[in-house]
Amino acid sequence: MKVGILGNGQLGQMLQDSITDLTDVQVSLYDLRAHDDEALAAFIAKVDVLSYETENIPAHIVDQLEAHADKLAPGLDALKVFQNRLLEKNALRNAGIATADFRAVNSLEDVHTAIKELGLPIVMKTTTEGYDGKGQYVLRTPEDAEPAWETIGNRELIAEAFVPFLRETSVIASRDRAGNIVVFPMTENVHHEGILRYSLYPAPALSQEKARLAENYIRQLADSLNYVGTITLELFETEDGLVGNEVAPRVHNSGHWSIEGTEASQFRNHMLAITGAALGSTEPKFASVAMLNVIGEETPAEKAETIANAHRHSYGKEARPARKLGHVTVTGNSDAERDATVNELIDLMPAGIWPPKH
């Protein structure tokens, strides 16, 4: 079977690397940045299954995919829904998942209306393309309306009521063509300046009730879309439960720990799902695991190679500020063993790259 992946960044490369032992599956990556219509048509023609590493696919390419929807997994409907935060919020609610209150914003007047209806603070976001904190503005006073609109406006936006959350978490699942689903253990995700810095398994002090709720949520979401592949649901944990924040119709940064941390990684299960193979086990291989993003400066992360329970992944990218250059997975037989290595790695990195020690 021939599989084509739209995108040749680190996610596409890790998808390809996850099934090198499956000799009956050949994987090709397509560089979206070097796109032209004829090249994409030729790429699609030579593959049996088509997938993608990012939902941020330009509209003219999505239009070209319409004629090949039967090859695409996850499907075209899921791609379109999760390209747009308004459609995404409605999909979450339709699947029975709690979300923050929200409003569509298309003008400065709409910003003022959202402030009146949702209260303050509110988070305003572009409906498309924003990631790692880009395309977002937090409004704390009525006077923030005009600068917010000037900064990210003049396009469709979504205003969301602020959720007083305890922490950010995520749950990841893979669903095959027959509707079978495997769910990965939840992680706690620590962000700084809008960028994920590290993820921790197990999510500390997570109640069984909330873990079950998260699993139910992602099953409901995947089933509602007849989804095929790996899907990620980012959740705010609150005093009362879990609130859906965003969805990634793909493998996700917070699941990178699964490469070393679970029997079958999120990448492998995505590839197994879209090729019709049986899904692998999501059972953890260690009592505790952490994933730390390497951001802006890669040299200190090289020292992780000298630490027995640290596993360095380099993406081969040119260093620049705020850019994800790789990640390090830390495994442990206990939280204490894991955290000792996490803290050692944080000490190796330049100040401000990772938040204060866990």
Side-chain angles (χ1 to χ4, degrees):
M1 177 178 289
K2 295 181 179 179
V3 177
I5 304 293
L6 299 177
N8 67 342
Q10 65 262 24
L11 298 183
Q13 291 166 8
M14 286 187 275
L15 285 167
Q16 186 175 46
D17 292 344
S18 71
I19 56 167
T20 53
D21 60 312
L22 303 183
T23 57
D24 59 336
V25 180
Q26 298 176 346
V27 183
S28 301
L29 306 181
Y30 178 82
D31 186 353
L32 288 166
R33 297 164 298 182
H35 167 72
D36 69 69
D37 290 346
E38 290 186 5
L40 178 57
F43 181 80
I44 294 173
K46 72 178 183 180
V47 302
D48 303 303
V49 178
L50 192 63
S51 193
Y52 44 88
E53 70 163 3
T54 175
E55 65 274 29
N56 293 320
I57 298 175
H60 65 280
I61 297 181
V62 176
D63 289 342
Q64 196 170 346
L65 296 176
E66 291 276 1
H68 308 281
D70 59 324
K71 288 188 176 184
L72 197 63
L76 196 59
D77 289 345
L79 175 61
K80 289 180 176 180
V81 165
F82 297 122
Q83 279 190 331
N84 185 291
R85 287 191 171 95
L86 281 168
L87 298 179
E88 174 183 75
K89 281 289 191 292
N90 285 315
L92 287 169
R93 290 194 168 183
N94 290 339
I97 299 170
T99 75
D101 288 337
F102 61 94
R103 299 288 185 276
V105 171
N106 291 288
S107 66
L108 179 57
E109 183 180 355
D110 287 346
V111 180
H112 289 293
T113 300
I115 291 173
K116 292 177 183 177
E117 294 181 349
L118 300 177
L120 289 168
I122 61 174
V123 182
M124 201 159 65
K125 305 175 183 178
T126 58
T127 57
T128 60
E129 297 183 349
Y131 64 96
D132 285 348
K134 298 179 176 68
Q136 298 188 19
Y137 200 108
V138 178
L139 289 76
R140 303 187 186 280
T141 70
E143 289 72 33
D144 289 333
E146 191 165 343
W149 179 253
E150 290 177 354
T151 302
I152 63 171
N154 298 304
R155 58 184 297 179
E156 184 184 58
L157 305 175
I158 181 173
E160 302 177 11
F162 186 80
V163 177
F165 60 91
L166 302 174
R167 59 178 170 179
E168 296 179 81
T169 66
S170 61
V171 60
I172 297 174
S174 301
R175 184 180 187 273
D176 69 15
R177 296 181 184 277
N180 300 305
I181 299 178
V182 292
V183 181
F184 291 84
M186 288 179 70
T187 59
E188 176 180 342
N189 303 321
V190 178
H191 292 76
H192 180 59
E193 296 178 343
I195 301 175
L196 177 65
R197 302 297 165 145
Y198 52 81
S199 296
L200 300 172
Y201 161 77
L206 179 71
S207 70
Q208 290 186 356
E209 180 183 7
K210 287 180 178 177
R212 283 194 298 268
L213 179 60
E215 180 169 342
N216 289 340
Y217 273 174
I218 200 162
R219 287 179 179 274
Q220 291 163 201
L221 180 62
D223 285 341
S224 72
L225 296 162
N226 196 25
Y227 192 91
V228 177
T230 293
I231 185 170
T232 306
L233 174 59
E234 297 180 64
L235 295 157
F236 292 128
E237 182 180 0
T238 69
E239 292 284 1
D240 299 325
L242 300 170
V243 176
N245 180 26
E246 294 184 350
V247 178
R250 53 172 170 82
V251 291
H252 190 260
N253 196 180
S254 67
H256 289 1
W257 70 277
S258 65
I259 296 175
E260 284 82 23
T262 58
E263 296 293 338
S265 72
Q266 62 164 347
F267 300 96
R268 185 175 180 86
N269 270 336
H270 180 84
M271 299 301 284
L272 295 175
I274 68 174
T275 57
L279 298 172
S281 170
T282 59
E283 187 68 22
K285 296 163 65 176
F286 301 91
S288 301
V289 187
M291 187 286 302
L292 299 93
N293 277 323
V294 178
I295 299 169
E297 171 57 59
E298 190 164 19
T299 303
E302 294 173 359
K303 297 180 182 178
E305 296 177 359
T306 66
I307 302 173
N309 64 329
H311 311 268
R312 179 187 175 219
H313 296 258
S314 175
Y315 304 154
K317 292 182 174 181
E318 181 181 354
R320 62 172 183 248
R323 191 180 201 187
K324 292 176 184 174
L325 304 177
H327 71 271
V328 176
T329 305
V330 176
T331 58
N333 294 315
S334 66
D335 290 356
E337 181 183 359
R338 175 199 66 191
D339 293 346
T341 300
V342 168
N343 291 338
E344 182 180 353
L345 287 168
I346 289 176
D347 284 339
L348 295 174
M349 295 297 286
I353 294 297
W354 289 328
K357 294 180 183 181
H358 170 63

